[in-house]
Amino acid sequence: MRSRIISRAILHSTISGIRIFVPAAISIVLYAGASSPASASVINPVRLICEYRINPLGIDETEPRLSWQLESLGRGHRQSAYQIVVSNHKDFPVAGNGTLWDTGKVLSSKTSQIKYDGEPLQSGSHYYWRVRVWDEDGSRSQWSSPAFWSMGLLKASEWRGEWIGRKLLISGSKESNTVNPPAYLRREITSKDSVQRAMLYVTAMGLFEIYINGKRIGEDIFTPGWSSYNKRIYYHTYDVTKMLLDGRNAIGAILADGWYAGYVGFIPKGRSGRKRRGLYGDVPALLLQVQITYTDGTTEIIASDSKWLTSSGPILKADILMGETYDARMEMPGWNMPGFDDSDWRKISSIRVPHAKLRAYPATPVRATEVIEPVSVIKLDHDTYVFDMGQNFAGRIRLTVSGKAGDKLTIRHGEMLRTDGTLMTENLRSAEATDTYILKGDTEEIWEPRFTYHGFRYVQVAGYPATPTQKSVTGIVLSSALPVTGRFTSSSDVLNRLFRTIMWTQRSNFLEIPTDCPQRDERLGWAGDVQLFSGAAAYNMDIAAFLTKWLDALADDQRSDGAYPDFAPMPFLLQEPSPGWMDAGIIVPHLLYRIYGDKRIIKRHYPSMKRFLAYLEGQSVDSRLKVHQRAWGDWKEVGQLTSRDVIATAFFAYDAKLMSEMAQAIGENSDADYYSSLFEQIKKAFMKAFVSPSGNIESDTQTVYALALYMDLLDEPFIISAGNRLLELLEGNGWHLSTGYVGTRFLLPVLSQIRRPEIALRLLLNQGFPSWGFFLNNGATTLWERWDAYSEKAGMRNLKNTSFNHYVLGSVGEWLFSSLAGIKAASPGFTDISIQPTVVPGAIGHVRAEYRSMVGDILSDWTVKGDTLRLQVSIPTNTRATVRFPSSEPDGILESNMPLRDGDGVLSIQIDREEVTLALGSGSYDFKTKLPESVLLTRTPEEFHVTDINPEPAVPWQ
Ligand code: BGC
């Protein structure tokens, strides 16, 4: 018998004609299998996920969280109860037959993050689950289609293999650009017939590709991924049942340096003594086991051991930053097939690796997400061609070529062209980003590198034997394969292009870890960039699992004194971490809680977050933080420098505030009180130290006002004056921003907060320097690292520090969804939603944003024609939304062409002068209303238009 406390059943009640929601806590004892009327429910569970993924294999969460979404027609539908059944039998529910968890009917509206609480889960087992739900009238749905997950190896002792590899053959100083040739590994095995299931568990210190009988396993790239290898190493699980043949089978692997043994990050000048590669280890190593269960119940484990053989092969070199060299003449046809003559292969070596815990890979790996074709090919000289892919991206090319054996193609990658049409590679710094292919002389040879990637738009191919066509090169776009959750379109071409550009920049950099850029010798998980951009990123894609994984790296590399690192994983120390960067350790878990309702991320990192707050407190003097002068500050701001101390103290306060919310969410109430009074203390200190009696904040930059207003650091009377001062600063700057990474993140939300969203829109639609429009007008297809990276007139600036594919200034993408379309979570995980579009008719006539939240699809679509606003919204089943929009005649509002009235999903109507606030149940609605004069007369960007007072940076060509 199980008893359950029902979380929040939602009841209706009526107070003076307005229907409102009353949350009620009900405690009820239920029995497994309790039944209820089987009349068809109007809601149906779909999109079942486990630990944020569809049917994940090899997880190691022992209480995995299950979630689903609900589909329904009509309006106002809610889930009143659910039942989950988990079984280790594929065909179920079969009562009593392998049922490991049957929740019975649980009276709850919860659809996400439901923790498995059944029989203990066993290593290597598969679990199948279904859910059925009851609607608001108590009618029951059908069982959902089954979903499943499988467990990984939960105990270290279950790993039977040893780390194997090929000892270094080359000697080379780590200072010179030498790279290990990847190792080829193989072993033959004999399998009995009647395999019931065969699972492969595999990892490497380095990168691996695995084959069984010549077929590549999975489509994942850069496995096992990048972690702090000396603390944690991820393994991957694949179901290889169908790949094993009766009798002889061959397992083959290719093992490359990757982040483990290859080049990582940048090399500060003048520090020649520093290791440039092999930051975690010198020799890559593989660890795997195939676990076979036969139909007769017997099992067999084939592991990485001394029976494996190794050889070099056609890949002569492979490195993430440097590139890959392939000599097709050295191919070994059949090397990964049974029966291959491996008599000249060497015995494998056992390799020492760092002591790290083995954990299941918790996210979706990198994959090829799109194939693109060049838009043009230009001949540079007799055998050198430049292909323009039309889009800056992260990935590599697939080459198609024919020629003589020994012909050699050198393929370079770059983001821009010089004026003479050649490839600009200065901004790659020491990353060679060069692939080489040596032909074997077949009629048509097709090749794509395996263990490298580049950030590029242009490809320069030298040595092309014949005239290439546009089909000779195709672009393979690589990215962590995250589901897209956001779509945005509008009547503004600038905004549509901006959204597309932000998406491409995210795709290019959400690649295994959130990198700052994909092209130069850096590609590090800079924490400031992550925390500043993650709000935008979360609208665009489902980043839950991706950032869960990254937070492990951040926590793994937390210093013993509690400071989080500036970037994670952190294979080398650069300098003391900076405010705004290390605070990602608080801001990112809070974001995952807010967007996905994830409390486990809070619990998991809670001790580490407390240590970080304690570190900040230890560093503070009178509740203020003083920071080192090499701190990053606002970073890449234009002309106006913001005090690092102001930024540091602001983030200190913000951390305390978010920490208090998170403590409360997990029931740590006394901590919640402590952090909330810490916040008040820091706020006082901030006021005292940085705010003058007239309300000026130290530095007097756009950034300080944006930070102080967003983070609630000002006492009442100073809030208005700060807003006004911010407007003055913007006006004085020709309605242009002057903010860097930090200030830009908060600027537009604050303009909405002070009810001047039209100015936010003005900044967004600006064309002159500095602005996003300036990027787009100068040919950007991904966002740049700096506002002044390039202009068509002046050329490129400061190439050693100029990436043309840097997502952080795309933090503004959040405003498109949260303010312009107005979709926000009103409670963690979007179970309550707020839709409040920003309607500025003179500036923009149409906006449509769709967001697939954790609990279902949300739509906000508005159009202004003449003086009429049409707003269409969709609210997911089982949620409710507060929708607010301007209206001049609230009595005349139409909904689906009928006068708006209470009922049919509309739960309440409130009228406050020229604004209408509706409480809506789930479903789609279509409102029409006349707009008030005050909105119609809002100043438009055209009226704001002043000549760009900031001259474009005039710098010589570099
Ligand atoms: C990176 C940034 C990062 C910064 C730290 C740069 O090299 O590209 O995005 O945040 O260093 O200031």
Side-chain angles (χ1 to χ4, degrees), residues 449-761:
R450 291 175 165 86
F451 299 113
T452 191
Y453 79 95
H454 317 290
F456 65 104
R457 169 174 169 171
Y458 300 96
V459 189
Q460 185 169 308
V461 184
Y464 209 91
T467 307
T469 67
Q470 248 158 277
K471 298 247 182 265
S472 306
V473 160
T474 43
I476 309 296
V477 179
L478 299 184
S479 181
S480 286
L482 310 183
V484 170
T485 51
R487 293 209 194 108
F488 177 90
T489 51
S490 73
S491 52
S492 158
D493 182 46
V494 177
L495 295 190
N496 298 346
R497 280 163 58 213
L498 175 63
F499 176 67
R500 186 174 180 274
T501 305
I502 293 173
M503 273 295 212
W504 269 105
T505 318
Q506 184 169 347
R507 289 176 81 182
S508 312
N509 286 295
F510 276 39
L511 194 154
E512 183 50 38
I513 61 157
T515 58
D516 55 338
C517 53
Q519 72 298 82
R520 67 184 178 212
D521 61 354
E522 187 147 3
R523 313 186 197 183
L524 296 172
W526 283 100
D529 305 33
V530 180
Q531 67 90 356
L532 294 164
F533 181 65
S534 50
Y539 278 108
N540 300 340
M541 296 176 198
D542 178 351
I543 57 170
F546 179 78
L547 287 187
T548 298
K549 169 183 172 280
W550 182 73
L551 282 173
D552 281 340
L554 195 75
D556 281 350
D557 285 334
Q558 182 176 22
R559 253 178 11 192
S560 58
D561 64 2
Y564 285 117
D566 256 357
F567 51 87
M570 194 187 63
F572 56 87
L573 182 67
L574 186 64
Q575 61 174 53
E576 277 294 294
S578 285
W581 269 250
M582 53 183 165
D583 310 273
I586 302 292
I587 296 170
V588 176
H590 183 266
L591 178 95
L592 297 184
Y593 167 57
R594 191 161 56 83
I595 302 291
Y596 305 103
D598 191 338
K599 289 191 190 172
R600 198 186 61 197
I601 201 85
I602 303 178
K603 288 194 189 138
R604 189 151 288 173
H605 291 284
Y606 197 66
S608 139
M609 293 193 288
K610 280 183 77 161
R611 281 208 307 283
F612 175 62
L613 259 302
Y615 160 80
L616 292 182
E617 282 185 77
Q619 297 285 305
S620 66
V621 178
D622 297 335
S623 303
R624 278 193 291 128
L625 278 181
K626 267 215 144 331
V627 287
H628 57 102
Q629 280 315 301
R630 292 192 59 202
W632 307 118
D634 193 11
W635 200 242
K636 312 289 185 205
E637 64 276 61
V638 195
Q640 299 189 344
L641 270 189
T642 295
S643 146
R644 290 167 167 79
D645 292 341
V646 175
I647 293 177
T649 304
F651 274 97
F652 181 24
Y654 190 49
D655 291 341
K657 192 178 191 177
L658 300 185
M659 190 65 177
S660 166
E661 270 178 45
M662 289 192 281
Q664 185 142 38
I666 59 165
E668 295 285 350
N669 296 338
S670 57
D671 280 0
D673 292 345
Y674 175 78
Y675 290 118
S676 115
S677 63
L678 178 63
F679 167 74
E680 292 302 335
Q681 230 173 286
I682 305 169
K683 178 171 173 172
K684 248 195 216 116
F686 184 92
M687 283 290 309
K688 191 163 154 218
F690 302 127
V691 185
S692 77
S694 64
N696 265 34
I697 304 179
E698 187 168 317
S699 306
D700 198 30
T701 58
Q702 295 173 13
T703 292
V704 287
Y705 294 101
L707 279 179
L709 285 165
Y710 190 93
M711 295 177 175
D712 183 23
L713 301 176
L714 301 173
D715 289 341
E716 199 59 64
F718 297 100
I719 295 178
I720 302 215
S721 62
N724 288 337
R725 182 65 191 143
L726 175 60
L727 294 174
E728 269 169 31
L729 287 171
L730 283 163
E731 186 167 17
N733 203 28
W735 299 109
H736 275 80
L737 50 76
S738 62
T739 46
Y741 288 7
V742 173
T744 302
R745 152 74 181 87
F746 301 104
L747 187 58
L748 273 66
V750 158
L751 289 167
S752 288
Q753 189 181 315
I754 63 171
R755 305 202 119 216
R756 297 305 300 272
E758 77 282 7
I759 295 173
L761 201 49

Side-chain angles (χ1 to χ4, degrees), residues 135 414 444 696 777 791:
D135 65 18
E444 185 181 71
N696 265 34
N777 283 343
S791 90

Side-chain angles (χ1 to χ4, degrees), residues 40-105:
S41 153
V42 289
I43 61 176
N44 277 303
V46 292
R47 294 193 209 111
L48 278 60
I49 54 169
C50 169
E51 287 300 319
Y52 295 123
R53 286 172 294 155
I54 300 171
N55 301 337
L57 287 181
I59 65 170
D60 59 4
E61 292 295 347
T62 50
E63 293 180 331
R65 294 161 304 171
L66 308 178
S67 309
W68 58 92
Q69 297 183 4
L70 294 166
E71 267 181 2
S72 67
L73 295 173
R75 291 180 179 170
H77 295 310
R78 290 175 294 111
Q79 172 187 293
S80 59
Y82 68 79
Q83 179 177 11
I84 299 171
V85 177
V86 178
S87 163
N88 49 16
H89 282 258
K90 209 169 186 167
D91 316 308
F92 82 103
V94 188
N97 186 358
T99 301
L100 302 169
W101 192 40
D102 182 343
T103 62
K105 181 179 177 184

